[in-house]
Amino acid sequence: MEILTSVVGKIIDYTFVSIGRQTSYLIFYKGNFKMLADDVKDLQDARERVFHLVEEERRNGKEIERDVVNWLEKVNEVIETANKLQQDPRRANVKCSTWGFPNLILRHQLNPRRANVKCSTWGFPNLILRHQLSRKAKKIANDVVQTKGKGTFNQVGYRPALDGVASSFSTRGSEIYETRESLKEDIVKALSNPNSCNIGIYGLGGVGKTTLVEEVKLTAKQLKLFDKVVITHVSQNPDFKTIQGEIADLLGLRFDEETIFGRANRLRQRIKMEKSILVILDNIWTMLDLKKVGIPFGNEHKGCKLLMTCRNQNVLVQMDVPNDFTFKLELMSKNETWNLFQFMAGDVVKDNNLKDIAFQVAQKCEEMDLTYSAFELSYNSLENDEMRDLFLLFALMEGGKVEYVLKVAMGLNILKHVNTMDEARNKLYTIIRSLEHVGINMYLRKQSGEEWPTNEFLNRCMQIVLQRCHIHELPHTIVCPNIKLFLLTSENRSLKIPDTFFEGMVSLRVLDLTYLNLSSLPTSFQLLTDLKTLCLDDCILENMAAIEGLQNLEILGIRKSYIIKFPREIGRLTQLRMLDLSNSGIEVLPSNIISSLINLEELYMGNTSINWEDVNSTVQDGNASIAELQKLPNLTALELQIRETWMLPRGMQLMFEKLIFFKIAIGDVWKWEDIEDATLKTLMLKLGTNIH
């Protein structure tokens, strides 16, 4: 009986609760719709806020997280449902329901006022509609609140892994080149071989190795041979941080490490996370240290395969590429060369007046080894003498860096109509970009024998370049009355230069002597009165008295040379515009030498240990002070290393304001090569130093 009473009691409780809830829909009809409108407004504001975050992430090139996209779709769906209910035309019919109950009472009393009960026949339908709409508003409001509560995200977007550079070869329409297509199929087959690890491609420069591996990369992705395919371009002088960065970008990896070693470990860990990965190393010139880059090899990660390209097969041998997986990219056939030329040249080849010339040019392209005739074709197509002269200079200077070429070009007066070193540098870079735009390879040069040419040849010679030569003895004099450039880079530091060696080169304008022991400069130096550029890099220098005769010298470089005391004779070279003492061993710089070079525009003294004098000290030791730099009115570029802050004098601000470029290190904790260009203000703020 007690159990029955308990059950009945609970049924009654649930019944009254249910009745109360149902009644509340009638009573709080307006409140439920008001609450729905407020909740929808809050949800719309939340949607707008998240939408702004989404747009910002998309502008930054990020993909949007799937749960964010799903939430926005759900929000739109819920708001649309709420709007439909709020705009439901049936809501107008519930207004009469407030008179429903009074009319029912009058009808029950059956008094003479029966006419007043006519509206009661519509009361129950209105109550039912009022109940339905109110209940629906309450339910949708709950959905709105729940949806809004799910709109908090730890992350809205993410950076997708890069897909590499698209192949330019694939833009050539439906053209198929049989020799390339066949080789590509063989390479893809080698990549599919479970026994392959290192695969290599070699061939002449410009033959199309990069284009081929781009096609292989695309095919490997289409066939899903690997989970990831990444490519990096190594070049002749590999920059390990750049190589690591190119691979990391394609893997979506960001480095926190600063050192090459630390980045290599991080990259190695990331590559090992891929079950299968193809790493393409394009344009290798010498053996590449894979451990230093951070590429696992051999048994370290059997899912990692390497595809390498180079010009010389010996490099592939050094990189442990088996013969079975070594492929040579041959030159195109005549038909393929003509088809390619037609595609690149366009409709102009259809002109009957030009067709013969076009076919001759295509034949030149077929040769691919850039012989003299091909060089002549490129040379004659250049716009002006400046471009032609620089083209020849780059071809002559094997692997010459741009700053070095600038020194030579200025000495040879190649760059016309420039008033300052900065203008000359800007013009040089502009011409280089133009040369690259027309597709000219500027760093090609053929080595010749090391025997001295005949006297007849020397009489006509205007340039002599002896790079990395193994000459054991130089003649006492060579007669070159027309020579403008003489460059000697010795592999033998003990090579002696006779005192009379330059007597027959009085028209010389550029002289470069590298890696020599010049305990005393040849006395014939004094005859080189037309000399504009002198480079004595990586030399051992002691007695430099003969340099005093070079009164027209404008550019002097003593980079990486061993010299303790700076020669006073250099102070008499008042036409100097650039002085480069970077990485030299100079410790003693006497006073009033630098300040006498009144035409100096650029001074480079980075990574030197000069004992600068404190200009504010009462004790003077005869050394130069940094304050002397204020006496150089034309100085616009400065590189300087200072051990102590007290070496910086007051009143330097005006001098620094006119500098176009400078790089300054204060203290002995800096590594010069790690210092990036900075403004003086930023640099001094870091050091906590005030300059007045």
Side-chain angles (χ1 to χ4, degrees), residues 626-648:
I626 296 176
E628 289 190 33
L629 302 181
Q630 298 178 88
K631 299 179 181 180
L632 303 177
N634 300 315
L635 192 67
T636 58
L638 175 64
E639 287 187 355
L640 197 61
Q641 189 150 6
I642 307 169
R643 291 201 301 270
E644 302 289 346
T645 56
W646 55 260
M647 294 180 175
L648 279 171

Side-chain angles (χ1 to χ4, degrees), residues 326-443:
T326 299
F327 302 92
K328 182 179 181 181
L329 182 57
E330 302 284 0
L331 302 178
M332 285 184 174
S333 66
K334 289 185 178 180
N335 288 336
E336 290 173 335
T337 304
W338 175 243
N339 290 337
L340 176 59
F341 183 82
Q342 282 181 301
F343 175 82
M344 299 301 292
D347 293 338
V348 68
V349 298
K350 298 177 182 179
D351 189 331
N352 291 329
N353 296 324
L354 299 176
K355 193 167 185 179
D356 290 341
I357 298 176
F359 192 74
Q360 291 176 25
V361 174
Q363 285 182 317
K364 297 294 182 184
C365 296
E366 178 193 352
E367 295 172 7
M368 297 297 286
D369 58 351
L370 295 180
T371 58
Y372 175 79
S373 298
F375 267 122
E376 185 180 27
L377 184 67
S378 298
Y379 179 84
N380 292 332
S381 69
L382 297 177
E383 295 178 7
N384 51 52
D385 289 340
E386 283 179 313
M387 293 185 70
R388 281 186 281 271
D389 289 342
L390 279 173
F391 170 71
L392 294 177
L393 186 60
F394 273 110
L396 187 66
M397 301 293 159
E398 184 180 8
K401 294 184 178 179
V402 176
E403 284 298 312
Y404 174 75
V405 173
L406 174 66
K407 297 175 183 177
V408 177
M410 288 293 288
L412 296 177
N413 197 29
I414 291 177
L415 301 171
K416 309 294 184 182
H417 310 297
V418 292
N419 297 317
T420 66
M421 293 297 300
D422 188 57
E423 288 179 6
R425 182 178 288 104
N426 292 335
K427 189 166 190 177
L428 176 61
Y429 276 98
T430 300
I431 295 175
I432 290 174
R433 284 192 292 270
S434 298
L435 290 172
E436 290 174 344
H437 181 70
V438 296
I440 292 180
N441 182 348
M442 297 181 293
Y443 297 101

Side-chain angles (χ1 to χ4, degrees), residues 165 210 214 231-235 242-243 246 280-283:
V165 181
T210 298
E214 289 284 359
I231 186 169
T232 181
H233 303 278
V234 179
S235 77
T242 299
I243 295 171
E246 287 182 349
I280 301 175
L281 303 174
D282 186 33
N283 196 22

Side-chain angles (χ1 to χ4, degrees), residues 507-525:
S507 62
L508 200 62
R509 294 180 63 92
V510 176
L511 174 59
D512 182 349
L513 302 175
T514 301
Y515 202 72
L516 291 171
N517 186 348
L518 299 173
S519 57
S520 180
L521 294 182
T523 55
S524 55
F525 253 49

Side-chain angles (χ1 to χ4, degrees), residues 90-258:
R90 296 177 298 167
R91 290 185 61 190
N93 297 329
V94 303
K95 294 180 180 179
C96 184
S97 63
T98 56
W99 301 102
F101 284 107
N103 289 344
L104 287 172
I105 294 171
L106 291 174
R107 186 180 181 92
H108 174 71
Q109 293 175 346
L110 297 176
N111 59 26
R113 293 171 293 175
R114 292 180 62 187
N116 294 331
V117 303
K118 290 182 180 180
C119 182
S120 64
T121 56
W122 301 103
F124 282 110
N126 288 343
L127 289 173
I128 294 173
L129 181 59
R130 184 185 183 93
H131 175 274
Q132 290 175 341
L133 295 176
S134 180
R135 182 180 181 183
K136 200 168 186 179
K138 179 73 172 178
K139 181 181 182 302
I140 295 175
N142 290 337
D143 290 344
V144 170
V145 172
Q146 290 179 5
T147 302
K148 179 177 178 294
K150 296 177 181 179
T152 303
F153 307 98
N154 294 328
Q155 179 175 301
V156 174
Y158 64 94
R159 292 190 181 278
L162 299 178
D163 195 30
V165 181
S167 170
S168 60
F169 192 82
S170 61
T171 64
R172 295 173 183 169
S174 58
E175 294 289 342
I176 300 296
Y177 302 92
E178 293 180 1
T179 56
R180 267 65 178 156
E181 194 66 22
S182 175
L183 186 61
K184 184 181 77 173
E185 291 175 0
D186 291 340
I187 296 170
V188 172
K189 185 177 179 181
L191 291 174
S192 305
N193 191 321
N195 297 320
S196 68
C197 181
N198 296 343
I199 299 98
I201 305 169
Y202 73 99
L204 293 173
V207 77
K209 298 184 293 296
T210 298
T211 300
L212 178 60
V213 293
E214 289 284 359
E215 283 292 301
V216 170
K217 180 189 75 173
L218 184 62
T219 302
K221 286 185 175 182
Q222 291 172 343
L223 297 178
K224 298 182 179 179
L225 298 181
F226 303 92
D227 295 332
K228 285 284 184 180
V229 179
V230 297
I231 186 169
T232 181
H233 303 278
V234 179
S235 77
Q236 186 174 4
N237 299 304
D239 183 323
F240 284 90
K241 282 194 173 182
T242 299
I243 295 171
Q244 291 168 337
E246 287 182 349
I247 298 175
D249 282 348
L250 296 172
L251 293 174
L253 172 65
R254 293 290 180 269
F255 290 113
D256 294 326
E257 296 77 14
E258 292 295 331

